[in-house]
Amino acid sequence: MIVGLGNDLVHVPRIMRLVRLYQDRFLARAFHPSEIKAYHDKRRQLQAYCGPRANTTNTTTANTDTPTPTPPSSCDLTPAYQYLAGRWAVKESVYKACAVRHRERMPFPSVHVRSSSETERQPSLHFEGESRRLIEELGVTHTHVSITHDGDYAFATVILEK
């Protein structure tokens, strides 16, 4: 029996702005430590792929011979932000799938998504602390999660079953 169903659509640039504006404070309030680590790992991989010149390449402007540094955005970190946006969409979907009277008890960092192995990409939901107690109280025995992203948007669906 389905206990709850939730969907959420997230605009990736919104998450990008929040991360840039609030940095670690936002990450800690919204994501599980394992998700934060995965985000930082993705950023490092992307920056390594871009190479050392990605943030130091100089160009000259048309009116002067003075070199102008290329902005840091020359290294496309979009996949790292898409990762966070997808995780945010899952957390919002879980929140929506829970009964209205229980929503205030759903701290986002205590809900996290994992893949069961490197070869199997099917995500699974994991709950800790107050979120785990809430899920048990609702009688949830199975969860289903789907995450996708395309360009500037990430989307997730969560189904909670008894």
Side-chain angles (χ1 to χ4, degrees):
M1 178 173 98
I2 294 178
V3 173
L5 168 68
N7 295 304
D8 196 57
L9 178 68
V10 175
H11 194 222
V12 175
R14 177 176 162 241
I15 298 299
M16 191 180 307
R17 279 190 306 274
L18 289 169
V19 170
R20 288 178 177 165
L21 184 61
Y22 299 107
Q23 300 173 1
D24 290 338
R25 196 170 78 183
F26 169 69
L27 294 174
R29 289 186 64 151
F31 299 98
H32 187 271
S34 66
E35 294 170 323
I36 296 169
K37 181 185 180 317
Y39 160 71
H40 285 301
D41 289 348
K42 287 180 187 311
R43 277 187 63 100
R44 276 190 287 282
Q45 289 171 352
L46 290 166
Q47 288 168 332
Y49 178 76
C50 291
R53 295 187 48 204
N55 293 329
T56 58
T57 304
N58 290 330
T59 59
T60 55
T61 59
N63 298 334
T64 69
D65 291 332
T66 308
T68 306
T70 302
S73 61
S74 64
C75 182
D76 186 12
L77 300 175
T78 301
Y81 292 114
Q82 286 174 328
Y83 169 83
L84 287 179
R87 275 18 188 204
W88 181 268
V90 168
K91 293 164 191 290
E92 285 284 343
S93 297
V94 168
Y95 180 81
K96 292 171 181 177
C98 291
V100 174
R101 70 180 202 275
H102 296 292
R103 288 182 177 173
E104 70 279 355
R105 294 174 45 199
M106 186 65 65
F108 275 17
S110 67
V111 177
H112 59 109
V113 180
R114 291 193 296 215
S115 294
S116 56
S117 73
E118 287 302 312
T119 57
E120 185 180 328
R121 303 307 295 172
Q122 180 65 37
S124 60
L125 282 172
H126 296 270
F127 302 93
E128 296 177 355
E130 187 62 28
S131 296
R132 171 178 263 218
R133 285 187 286 281
L134 172 60
I135 291 300
E136 289 171 355
E137 184 180 307
L138 292 173
V140 174
T141 57
H142 293 87
T143 62
H144 307 275
V145 61
S146 177
I147 313 166
T148 190
H149 48 74
D150 187 17
D152 282 350
Y153 293 94
F155 182 80
T157 299
V158 169
I159 300 171
L160 306 176
E161 285 187 292
K162 271 189 182 181

PDB file of all heavy atoms in Angstrom, residues 59-75:
ATOM      1  N   THR A  59      43.201  36.343 -21.298  1.00  0.00           N
ATOM      2  CA  THR A  59      42.838  36.843 -22.617  1.00  0.00           C
ATOM      3  C   THR A  59      43.084  38.343 -22.605  1.00  0.00           C
ATOM      4  O   THR A  59      43.163  38.963 -21.561  1.00  0.00           O
ATOM      5  CB  THR A  59      41.351  36.571 -22.925  1.00  0.00           C
ATOM      6  OG1 THR A  59      40.566  37.216 -21.917  1.00  0.00           O
ATOM      7  CG2 THR A  59      41.044  35.086 -22.942  1.00  0.00           C
ATOM      8  N   THR A  60      43.187  38.943 -23.767  1.00  0.00           N
ATOM      9  CA  THR A  60      43.340  40.390 -23.819  1.00  0.00           C
ATOM     10  C   THR A  60      42.046  40.990 -24.321  1.00  0.00           C
ATOM     11  O   THR A  60      41.324  40.387 -25.118  1.00  0.00           O
ATOM     12  CB  THR A  60      44.501  40.799 -24.742  1.00  0.00           C
ATOM     13  OG1 THR A  60      44.282  40.228 -26.019  1.00  0.00           O
ATOM     14  CG2 THR A  60      45.836  40.341 -24.184  1.00  0.00           C
ATOM     15  N   THR A  61      41.741  42.172 -23.826  1.00  0.00           N
ATOM     16  CA  THR A  61      40.533  42.848 -24.276  1.00  0.00           C
ATOM     17  C   THR A  61      40.833  43.586 -25.568  1.00  0.00           C
ATOM     18  O   THR A  61      41.986  43.860 -25.895  1.00  0.00           O
ATOM     19  CB  THR A  61      40.040  43.849 -23.204  1.00  0.00           C
ATOM     20  OG1 THR A  61      41.080  44.788 -22.981  1.00  0.00           O
ATOM     21  CG2 THR A  61      39.676  43.142 -21.914  1.00  0.00           C
ATOM     22  N   ALA A  62      39.810  43.959 -26.285  1.00  0.00           N
ATOM     23  CA  ALA A  62      39.980  44.626 -27.581  1.00  0.00           C
ATOM     24  C   ALA A  62      40.597  46.012 -27.434  1.00  0.00           C
ATOM     25  O   ALA A  62      41.320  46.473 -28.304  1.00  0.00           O
ATOM     26  CB  ALA A  62      38.633  44.724 -28.288  1.00  0.00           C
ATOM     27  N   ASN A  63      40.333  46.702 -26.337  1.00  0.00           N
ATOM     28  CA  ASN A  63      40.780  48.079 -26.170  1.00  0.00           C
ATOM     29  C   ASN A  63      42.138  48.208 -25.489  1.00  0.00           C
ATOM     30  O   ASN A  63      42.731  49.276 -25.511  1.00  0.00           O
ATOM     31  CB  ASN A  63      39.751  48.880 -25.369  1.00  0.00           C
ATOM     32  CG  ASN A  63      38.423  48.936 -26.087  1.00  0.00           C
ATOM     33  OD1 ASN A  63      38.384  48.830 -27.297  1.00  0.00           O
ATOM     34  ND2 ASN A  63      37.356  49.098 -25.343  1.00  0.00           N
ATOM     35  N   THR A  64      42.614  47.164 -24.844  1.00  0.00           N
ATOM     36  CA  THR A  64      43.887  47.256 -24.121  1.00  0.00           C
ATOM     37  C   THR A  64      44.707  46.009 -24.374  1.00  0.00           C
ATOM     38  O   THR A  64      44.205  44.999 -24.848  1.00  0.00           O
ATOM     39  CB  THR A  64      43.666  47.384 -22.600  1.00  0.00           C
ATOM     40  OG1 THR A  64      43.153  46.154 -22.115  1.00  0.00           O
ATOM     41  CG2 THR A  64      42.731  48.518 -22.248  1.00  0.00           C
ATOM     42  N   ASP A  65      45.969  46.116 -24.042  1.00  0.00           N
ATOM     43  CA  ASP A  65      46.839  44.950 -24.139  1.00  0.00           C
ATOM     44  C   ASP A  65      46.980  44.261 -22.783  1.00  0.00           C
ATOM     45  O   ASP A  65      47.781  43.354 -22.627  1.00  0.00           O
ATOM     46  CB  ASP A  65      48.228  45.373 -24.625  1.00  0.00           C
ATOM     47  CG  ASP A  65      48.181  45.823 -26.073  1.00  0.00           C
ATOM     48  OD1 ASP A  65      47.293  45.331 -26.800  1.00  0.00           O
ATOM     49  OD2 ASP A  65      49.018  46.650 -26.466  1.00  0.00           O
ATOM     50  N   THR A  66      46.190  44.693 -21.803  1.00  0.00           N
ATOM     51  CA  THR A  66      46.263  44.121 -20.457  1.00  0.00           C
ATOM     52  C   THR A  66      45.547  42.783 -20.431  1.00  0.00           C
ATOM     53  O   THR A  66      44.391  42.681 -20.849  1.00  0.00           O
ATOM     54  CB  THR A  66      45.591  45.065 -19.437  1.00  0.00           C
ATOM     55  OG1 THR A  66      46.148  46.357 -19.605  1.00  0.00           O
ATOM     56  CG2 THR A  66      45.782  44.566 -18.029  1.00  0.00           C
ATOM     57  N   PRO A  67      46.224  41.738 -19.947  1.00  0.00           N
ATOM     58  CA  PRO A  67      45.544  40.442 -19.852  1.00  0.00           C
ATOM     59  C   PRO A  67      44.413  40.501 -18.825  1.00  0.00           C
ATOM     60  O   PRO A  67      44.545  41.120 -17.787  1.00  0.00           O
ATOM     61  CB  PRO A  67      46.634  39.478 -19.393  1.00  0.00           C
ATOM     62  CG  PRO A  67      47.898  40.235 -19.371  1.00  0.00           C
ATOM     63  CD  PRO A  67      47.604  41.672 -19.539  1.00  0.00           C
ATOM     64  N   THR A  68      43.312  39.872 -19.155  1.00  0.00           N
ATOM     65  CA  THR A  68      42.167  39.790 -18.257  1.00  0.00           C
ATOM     66  C   THR A  68      41.998  38.327 -17.865  1.00  0.00           C
ATOM     67  O   THR A  68      41.899  37.465 -18.740  1.00  0.00           O
ATOM     68  CB  THR A  68      40.879  40.266 -18.974  1.00  0.00           C
ATOM     69  OG1 THR A  68      41.136  41.559 -19.500  1.00  0.00           O
ATOM     70  CG2 THR A  68      39.713  40.286 -18.031  1.00  0.00           C
ATOM     71  N   PRO A  69      41.959  38.029 -16.554  1.00  0.00           N
ATOM     72  CA  PRO A  69      41.798  36.623 -16.158  1.00  0.00           C
ATOM     73  C   PRO A  69      40.459  36.068 -16.633  1.00  0.00           C
ATOM     74  O   PRO A  69      39.450  36.760 -16.593  1.00  0.00           O
ATOM     75  CB  PRO A  69      41.851  36.654 -14.636  1.00  0.00           C
ATOM     76  CG  PRO A  69      42.211  38.044 -14.254  1.00  0.00           C
ATOM     77  CD  PRO A  69      42.054  38.922 -15.442  1.00  0.00           C
ATOM     78  N   THR A  70      40.492  34.843 -17.085  1.00  0.00           N
ATOM     79  CA  THR A  70      39.259  34.169 -17.460  1.00  0.00           C
ATOM     80  C   THR A  70      38.499  33.867 -16.178  1.00  0.00           C
ATOM     81  O   THR A  70      39.090  33.436 -15.197  1.00  0.00           O
ATOM     82  CB  THR A  70      39.569  32.849 -18.200  1.00  0.00           C
ATOM     83  OG1 THR A  70      40.354  33.179 -19.332  1.00  0.00           O
ATOM     84  CG2 THR A  70      38.309  32.135 -18.629  1.00  0.00           C
ATOM     85  N   PRO A  71      37.193  34.098 -16.149  1.00  0.00           N
ATOM     86  CA  PRO A  71      36.445  33.841 -14.923  1.00  0.00           C
ATOM     87  C   PRO A  71      36.502  32.372 -14.538  1.00  0.00           C
ATOM     88  O   PRO A  71      36.647  31.499 -15.395  1.00  0.00           O
ATOM     89  CB  PRO A  71      35.015  34.263 -15.277  1.00  0.00           C
ATOM     90  CG  PRO A  71      34.968  34.346 -16.751  1.00  0.00           C
ATOM     91  CD  PRO A  71      36.354  34.570 -17.234  1.00  0.00           C
ATOM     92  N   PRO A  72      36.359  32.080 -13.230  1.00  0.00           N
ATOM     93  CA  PRO A  72      36.407  30.690 -12.772  1.00  0.00           C
ATOM     94  C   PRO A  72      35.375  29.803 -13.436  1.00  0.00           C
ATOM     95  O   PRO A  72      35.526  28.608 -13.478  1.00  0.00           O
ATOM     96  CB  PRO A  72      36.138  30.800 -11.269  1.00  0.00           C
ATOM     97  CG  PRO A  72      36.479  32.197 -10.920  1.00  0.00           C
ATOM     98  CD  PRO A  72      36.250  33.011 -12.144  1.00  0.00           C
ATOM     99  N   SER A  73      34.325  30.376 -14.005  1.00  0.00           N
ATOM    100  CA  SER A  73      33.282  29.564 -14.630  1.00  0.00           C
ATOM    101  C   SER A  73      33.770  28.885 -15.903  1.00  0.00           C
ATOM    102  O   SER A  73      33.032  28.143 -16.525  1.00  0.00           O
ATOM    103  CB  SER A  73      32.056  30.422 -14.921  1.00  0.00           C
ATOM    104  OG  SER A  73      32.407  31.457 -15.810  1.00  0.00           O
ATOM    105  N   SER A  74      35.033  29.153 -16.321  1.00  0.00           N
ATOM    106  CA  SER A  74      35.540  28.502 -17.523  1.00  0.00           C
ATOM    107  C   SER A  74      35.618  26.993 -17.346  1.00  0.00           C
ATOM    108  O   SER A  74      35.649  26.259 -18.303  1.00  0.00           O
ATOM    109  CB  SER A  74      36.910  29.066 -17.909  1.00  0.00           C
ATOM    110  OG  SER A  74      37.846  28.779 -16.895  1.00  0.00           O
ATOM    111  N   CYS A  75      35.661  26.536 -16.113  1.00  0.00           N
ATOM    112  CA  CYS A  75      35.592  25.113 -15.818  1.00  0.00           C
ATOM    113  C   CYS A  75      34.134  24.810 -15.484  1.00  0.00           C
ATOM    114  O   CYS A  75      33.608  25.297 -14.485  1.00  0.00           O
ATOM    115  CB  CYS A  75      36.502  24.762 -14.634  1.00  0.00           C
ATOM    116  SG  CYS A  75      36.499  23.005 -14.271  1.00  0.00           S
TER     117      CYS A  75
END
